[in-house]
Amino acid sequence: MQQTIDRPTSHRRPGLPRTGGPTPTFPHPPQRGRPRPPLSPAPVRLPLPCRVEDPDLWFAESPSELELAKGFCGSCPVRQKCLAGALDRAEPWGVWGGEIFERGVVIARKRPRGRPRKVVAA
């Protein structure tokens, strides 16, 4: 014959009085007389391009890859903060906030490696 042990179903020690008023319910019951405002939806967070794409793209040597990285930064929601942070930190190189940094200075576009042309292309 197996005996069963009676265990309390609550976490409260048996025999102790309840304290703190009525047992809270969740969600709280609506207050009478005052309608609750509707909850606004949580903002949708899009993934940042520098977190999704290849990280080496933002520090590439090729001018075409740097231009591609600048293009990804165009729709980034934190572009201005990224650029301001890079300027504050004096980033030495890379694409930050849609701008190319080289030797700590923002440049319009990076020239390819090698000698410049003797004759300017038309």
Side-chain angles (χ1 to χ4, degrees):
M1 178 184 276
Q2 185 176 353
Q3 291 183 338
T4 59
I5 299 173
D6 292 331
R7 293 188 181 183
T9 57
S10 69
H11 297 287
R12 191 171 57 85
R13 286 179 42 194
L16 295 177
R18 288 182 184 259
T19 58
T23 305
T25 59
F26 189 82
H28 297 292
Q31 297 175 356
R32 293 185 184 158
R34 181 183 286 180
R36 283 189 156 176
L39 295 176
S40 61
V44 176
R45 292 186 179 189
L46 299 176
L48 302 178
C50 56
R51 303 286 173 104
V52 176
E53 301 296 329
D54 180 21
D56 292 336
L57 191 62
W58 274 261
F59 300 98
E61 289 291 325
S62 166
S64 61
E65 289 178 339
L66 291 174
E67 291 298 321
L68 181 61
K70 281 176 60 174
F72 286 137
C73 289
S75 62
C76 183
V78 295
R79 179 179 179 189
Q80 296 300 323
K81 290 181 183 179
C82 178
L83 180 59
L87 291 170
D88 289 344
R89 291 186 307 271
E91 287 291 341
W93 64 295
V95 176
W96 297 91
E99 300 293 335
I100 299 174
F101 283 72
E102 186 171 315
R103 297 185 184 108
V105 178
V106 175
I107 59 173
R109 70 176 47 100
K110 185 171 180 168
R111 291 185 348 184
R113 298 180 79 184
R115 295 180 98 186
R117 295 181 182 175
K118 291 182 179 181
V119 178
V120 178

